[in-house]
């Protein structure tokens, strides 16, 4: 006994008061820790993933059309102003929150549990978007395979799917030098190929009549989901490598299409039509609203993708620099795509002998009707068609990676002990579930459902989510606290520009967008088909459901607290005790004493003893501590 006591006295003992959790012997406590969530393999993985996520199909088929219908070159003025007011600040806010906490869209609401419904709403929206977005990728795959031929199937009439109204451009070009042909009541071969062969929409009488399952589209949808799953199989470790190709290769193809486009006869007719400024449009509110909408949806703010990607960063990654690289790069990509698209449309209008505005379309109409028709007028048309659809494929896949990673990360962060070790299996379950839900889009009437999802899944509901997100961080959590967190990560506080946007300019602009979308509400329609009342009600309910997640989340958070109603609300709005950086070595300053098991009255001293010395970021933490003490004394 005496010998045991002597041996025990020789062992250095650290008082429990000064021990951090890593000092304790885990074998004594039998503590089980969740599996590590992982990080990007390199800084470029994150940057390219963000570029791939933001630069998507909308840059090619929405921006050029929006520009020419809203003042041409003059549209760039409100576009860049809205980028400064809404785009850049909200982009930086979402990245900052994700990187600081290293948590997904659900778990990140430890910052203010009262608003966890915002994360639930994000998850619902991104799941609905992922369902129909992958159907668009399936259409692209369909056209990609159809381009692997010596003659494009939508080049001529005379196929079983064509009608008597079909008239191809060869006849029109021949008529220009011979006799006049009336084209007002005719349909191009590419339009009939899209509607009657690919969609087979004649097999459905409307949204209530889905018709038969199109097995070719079904196989393309299955292939699309398989590609997505294989690329996200190992989380950001695998998708972070795939984006080296999918985020850069579209630029190579876009430049090739641009060079080919501007060398075509009549190309400058289209470019002039695209860029000619009409400054009188700037006096209308519609142009400014359209510019804000383009920025908002193009950058993908509010879907949770940016927050998810940033959560896999190292704590001191320079997201301030990355914000400007991605947002400005996205804007210039949209402008570049406009040149590539309108140069070909100018050539097409000259060949057909019709004005540019009669061939210009937006959305699927541009990608699957107008541009494929233009490809048939070029030498080596299958080659250019393959390049165009391969570009759309890579653009779409990047965004779909982000949607899926957001869903998987959000749920695994909520249940790390159970789901992180089985992340591959859980990802497969999510992909299979969304594939099955998307099968209705591969029917004869699938396009009607796709339009409904596109109009309502990320409409006014997304605006409500982002407004609440912005106000909860800047007003409830507090702009001072948020700026301190950013200073802790980057070594400096955001300037007056960001503060003014977060507190006032961005939320007010988004509220104007929301009011505009409600006041200017128009029922959905596809071509001449108008959706029935029950489908409109279903779409509105879809948008309201994401909004309803916010009060539902509030109710759950309040019920978990104790005291009077006001006390419960105050408690639920405050950050959770374990809010802060996820890694122990990054919890400097005010966050050290929130570590699980920490009892130290001098948390920063514990951190210095544990990790040795004071880094430049810890100097920042000391300054933050001083500021807090000064404020408490005032």
């Amino acid at each position: 006994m005496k010998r045991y006591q002597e041996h025990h006295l020789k062992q250095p003992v650290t008082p429990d008061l000064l021990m951090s959790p890593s000092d304790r012997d885990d074998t004594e406590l039998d503590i089980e820790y969740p599996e590590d969530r992982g990080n990007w393999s390199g800084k470029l993985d994150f940057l390219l993933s963000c570029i791939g996520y933001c630069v998507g199909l909308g840059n090619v088929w929405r921006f050029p059309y929006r520009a020419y219908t809203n003042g041409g070159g003059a549209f760039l003025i409100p576009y860049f102003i809205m980028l400064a007011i809404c785009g850049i600040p909200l982009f930086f806010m979402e990245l900052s929150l994700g990187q600081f906490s290293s948590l997904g869209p659900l778990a990140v609401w430890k910052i203010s549990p009262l608003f966890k419904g915002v994360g639930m709403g994000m998850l619902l929206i991104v799941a609905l978007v992922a369902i129909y977005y992958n159907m668009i990728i399936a259409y692209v795959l369909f056209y990609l395979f159809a381009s692997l031929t010596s003659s494009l199937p939508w080049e001529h009439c005379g196929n079983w799917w064509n009608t008597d109204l079909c008239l191809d451009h060869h006849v029109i070009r021949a008529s220009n030098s011979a006799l006049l042909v009336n084209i007002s009541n005719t349909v191009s071969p590419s339009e009939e190929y899209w509607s009657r062969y690919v969609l087979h929409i004649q097999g459905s009488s409307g949204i209530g009549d889905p018709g038969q399952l199109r097995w070719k589209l079904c196989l393309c949808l299955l292939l699309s989901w398989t590609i997505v799953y294989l690329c996200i199989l190992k989380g950001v470790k695998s998708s972070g490598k795939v984006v080296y190709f999918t985020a850069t290769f579209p630029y190579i193809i876009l430049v090739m299409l641009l060079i080919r486009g501007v060398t075509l006869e009549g190309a400058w007719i289209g470019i002039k039509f695209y860029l000619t400024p009409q400054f009188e449009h700037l006096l209308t509110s519609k142009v400014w609203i359209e510019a804000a909408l383009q920025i908002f949806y193009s950058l993908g703010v509010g879907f949770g993708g940016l927050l998810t990607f940033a959560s896999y960063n190292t704590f001191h990654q320079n997201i301030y620099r990355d914000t400007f690289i991605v947002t400005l790069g996205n804007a210039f990509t949209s402008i570049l795509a406009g040149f590539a698209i309108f140069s070909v449309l100018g050539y097409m209008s000259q060949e057909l002998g019709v004005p540019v505005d009669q061939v210009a379309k937006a959305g699927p109409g541009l990608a699957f009707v107008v541009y494929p028709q233009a490809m048939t007028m070029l030498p080596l048309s299958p080659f250019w068609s393959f390049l165009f659809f391969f570009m759309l494929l890579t653009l779409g896949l990047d965004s779909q990676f982000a949607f899926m990673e957001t869903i998987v990360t959000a749920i695994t962060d909520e249940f790390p002990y159970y789901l992180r070790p089985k992340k591959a299996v859980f990802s497969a379950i999510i992909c299979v579930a969304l594939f099955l839900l998307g099968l209705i889009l591969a029917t004869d009437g699938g396009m009607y459902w796709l339009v409904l999802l596109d109009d309502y899944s990320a409409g006014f509901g997304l605006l409500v989510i982002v407004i609440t997100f912005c106000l909860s961080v800047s007003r409830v959590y507090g702009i001072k606290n948020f700026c301190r967190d950013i200073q802790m990560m980057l070594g400096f506080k955001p300037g007056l520009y960001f503060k003014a946007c977060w507190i006032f300019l961005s939320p007010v602009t988004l509220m104007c967008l929301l009011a505009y979308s409600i006041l200017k509400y128009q029922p959905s329609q596809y071509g001449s088909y108008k959706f029935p009342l029950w489908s409109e009600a279903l779409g509105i309910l879809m948008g309201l459901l994401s909004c309803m997640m916010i009060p539902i989340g509030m109710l759950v958070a309040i019920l978990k607290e104790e005291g009077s109603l006001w006390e419960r609300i105050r408690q639920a709005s405050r950050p959770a005790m374990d809010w802060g950086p996820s890694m122990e070595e990054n919890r400097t300053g005010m966050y050290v004493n929130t570590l699980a098991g920490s009892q130290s009255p001098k948390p920063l001293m514990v951190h210095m003893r544990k990790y040795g010395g004071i880094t430049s970021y810890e100097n920042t933490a000391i300054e933050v501590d001083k500021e807090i003490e000064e404020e408490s004394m005032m």
Side-chain angles (χ1 to χ4, degrees):
M1 183 69 181
K2 185 176 181 181
R3 187 178 300 171
Y4 173 78
Q5 288 176 340
E6 289 175 357
H7 174 75
H8 181 70
L9 290 171
K10 292 177 183 178
Q11 300 300 316
V13 178
T14 304
D16 286 345
L17 189 64
L18 297 178
M19 288 181 71
S20 66
S22 58
D23 290 325
R24 305 179 192 272
D25 188 358
D26 292 346
T27 58
E28 295 178 8
L29 300 175
D30 192 26
I31 297 175
E32 182 184 356
Y33 291 100
E35 187 174 309
D36 183 35
R37 73 199 298 272
N39 289 97
W40 299 106
S41 300
K43 293 181 179 179
L44 204 56
D45 295 14
F46 166 71
L47 185 61
L48 289 176
S49 294
C50 284
I51 291 173
Y53 169 59
C54 296
V55 179
L57 298 173
N59 297 72
V60 174
W61 72 24
R62 279 209 175 104
F63 175 83
Y65 184 84
R66 254 190 182 134
Y68 101 83
T69 55
N70 289 284
F75 179 73
L76 297 179
I77 296 173
Y79 179 76
F80 279 102
I81 290 175
M82 289 301 170
L83 177 64
I85 293 175
C86 267
I88 294 174
L90 292 175
F91 194 96
F92 184 47
M93 172 179 272
E94 195 167 333
L95 289 187
S96 299
L97 199 61
Q99 180 168 302
F100 181 77
S101 63
S102 297
L103 295 171
L106 284 178
V108 77
W109 290 101
K110 290 179 181 179
I111 189 174
S112 184
L114 187 67
F115 293 94
K116 192 168 186 175
V118 173
M120 295 160 61
M122 281 183 180
L123 212 59
L124 178 61
I125 289 171
V126 81
L128 292 171
V129 171
I131 291 171
Y132 81 82
Y133 203 85
N134 229 20
M135 190 66 233
I136 296 174
I137 296 175
Y139 293 144
V140 172
L141 285 170
F142 192 102
Y143 272 82
L144 192 69
F145 294 135
S147 301
L148 299 173
T149 179
S150 58
S151 177
L152 295 174
W154 56 84
E155 185 171 356
H156 300 287
C157 299
N159 302 289
W160 66 261
W161 58 82
N162 293 126
T163 64
D164 294 337
L165 296 176
C166 183
L167 182 66
D168 66 49
H169 66 276
H170 298 96
V171 175
I172 299 173
R173 281 197 291 184
S175 70
N176 286 340
S177 56
L179 52 115
L180 188 64
V181 176
N182 182 15
I183 64 171
S184 59
N185 294 319
T186 61
V187 182
S188 67
S190 62
E191 187 167 348
E192 288 201 336
Y193 179 81
W194 164 243
S195 62
R196 296 182 60 81
Y197 181 70
V198 179
L199 300 179
H200 199 257
I201 204 164
Q202 70 271 20
S204 169
S205 59
I207 192 170
D209 175 29
Q212 296 181 347
L213 191 68
R214 304 287 294 160
W215 68 268
K216 289 184 179 179
L217 283 180
C218 187
L219 289 177
C220 287
L221 182 61
L222 179 62
L223 177 60
S224 177
W225 277 112
T226 304
I227 294 171
V228 170
Y229 173 69
L230 292 175
C231 291
I232 67 166
L233 181 60
K234 295 183 179 179
V236 294
K237 295 288 184 184
S238 55
S239 65
K241 297 306 176 189
V242 175
V243 293
Y244 277 82
F245 174 76
T246 56
T248 56
F249 195 67
Y251 285 95
I252 298 173
I253 300 179
L254 192 60
V255 170
M256 291 175 66
L257 291 173
L258 175 62
I259 294 172
R260 185 68 187 98
V262 296
T263 56
L264 293 171
E265 188 178 354
W268 293 104
I269 298 174
I271 293 174
K272 182 181 177 182
F273 191 83
Y274 167 53
L275 284 182
T276 301
Q278 301 169 37
F279 292 106
E280 64 274 10
H281 282 262
L282 299 181
L283 300 177
T284 63
S285 60
K286 178 178 177 292
V287 173
W288 294 86
I289 296 294
E290 289 288 325
L293 285 171
Q294 178 62 34
I295 287 293
F296 182 71
Y297 288 106
S298 177
L299 292 177
V301 176
F303 289 93
L306 298 171
L307 193 150
T308 301
F309 281 162
S311 72
Y312 290 102
N313 277 344
T314 55
F315 190 68
H316 300 302
Q317 166 84 5
N318 190 351
I319 49 172
Y320 182 79
R321 174 202 60 203
D322 294 343
T323 294
F324 286 95
I325 291 174
V326 176
T327 53
L328 294 177
N330 175 71
F332 286 113
T333 302
S334 298
I335 296 169
L336 184 68
F339 281 101
I341 296 297
F342 272 88
S343 60
V344 174
L345 294 183
Y347 165 74
M348 185 178 173
S349 72
Q350 180 166 298
E351 289 290 296
L352 298 178
V354 296
V356 178
D357 60 350
Q358 289 188 22
V359 295
K361 291 185 179 181
L366 173 66
F368 301 116
V369 177
V370 176
Y371 214 82
Q373 183 184 359
M375 294 295 101
T376 63
M377 301 178 184
L378 301 176
L380 300 173
S381 56
F383 170 73
W384 294 108
S385 177
F386 181 86
L387 281 185
F388 175 71
F389 286 108
F390 194 77
M391 178 185 73
L392 292 186
L393 175 65
T394 51
L395 287 173
L397 283 175
D398 287 332
S399 299
Q400 190 69 8
F401 294 159
F403 296 149
M404 292 308 299
E405 196 61 57
T406 299
I407 296 170
V408 172
T409 297
I411 300 174
T412 52
D413 280 352
E414 282 292 287
F415 308 100
Y417 294 96
Y418 307 105
L419 295 180
R420 275 186 198 164
K422 303 171 184 175
K423 193 172 182 179
V425 176
F426 180 65
S427 299
I429 293 171
I430 295 294
C431 288
V432 170
L434 295 183
F435 164 71
L436 293 175
L437 289 171
L439 282 178
I440 194 172
L441 304 179
T443 60
D444 292 337
M447 178 51 68
Y448 299 124
W449 286 97
L450 192 145
V451 169
L452 191 72
L453 282 167
D454 187 37
D455 285 351
Y456 292 101
S457 62
F460 65 89
L462 182 62
L463 288 169
V464 172
I465 291 291
V466 178
I467 291 168
T468 311
F469 173 83
C470 184
L471 292 176
S472 61
V473 174
S474 62
R475 298 282 185 173
V476 180
Y477 180 61
I479 197 69
K480 284 187 177 180
N481 293 330
F482 187 55
C483 289
R484 279 180 191 144
D485 293 346
I486 293 174
Q487 184 183 15
M488 197 172 168
M489 284 192 301
L490 306 181
F492 63 88
K493 285 185 179 181
L496 182 62
Y497 156 65
F498 281 103
K499 292 177 183 178
C501 289
W502 290 334
I503 293 173
F504 179 74
L505 292 176
S506 295
V508 167
T509 304
L510 292 175
M511 287 176 189
C512 291
L513 283 180
L514 179 61
Y516 178 83
S517 65
I518 294 172
L519 291 173
K520 296 292 183 180
Y521 168 77
Q522 291 182 342
S524 297
Q525 67 178 69
Y526 180 70
S528 58
Y529 175 78
K530 293 185 178 180
F531 284 64
L533 190 61
W534 68 265
S535 63
E536 289 296 317
L538 182 64
I540 294 171
L541 183 63
M542 196 188 306
L544 286 174
L545 192 58
S546 57
C547 299
M548 288 302 295
M549 292 295 109
I550 299 173
I552 290 172
M554 287 180 172
L555 182 62
V556 172
I558 290 169
L559 291 176
K560 287 181 179 179
E561 302 297 337
E562 297 179 352
S564 65
L565 178 61
W566 179 242
E567 288 171 346
R568 287 169 181 247
I569 293 172
R570 289 188 63 187
Q571 282 293 108
S573 63
R574 290 170 181 163
M577 281 299 296
D578 56 346
W579 164 249
S582 64
M583 297 187 69
E584 186 180 345
E585 59 265 32
N586 294 325
R587 282 185 174 262
T588 55
M590 61 185 288
Y591 288 104
V592 180
N593 61 345
T594 64
L595 285 167
S598 175
Q599 304 172 20
S600 173
K602 295 290 184 181
L604 185 57
M605 296 307 296
V606 175
H607 182 86
M608 290 165 60
R609 177 185 59 77
K610 169 68 180 172
Y611 297 103
I614 302 178
T615 66
S616 60
Y617 292 103
E618 285 163 348
N619 265 325
T620 300
I622 294 172
E623 291 173 9
V624 170
D625 278 350
K626 287 180 179 177
E627 286 182 19
I628 295 171
E629 288 178 9
E630 289 173 2
E631 286 180 6
S632 62
M633 293 172 63
M634 290 174 65

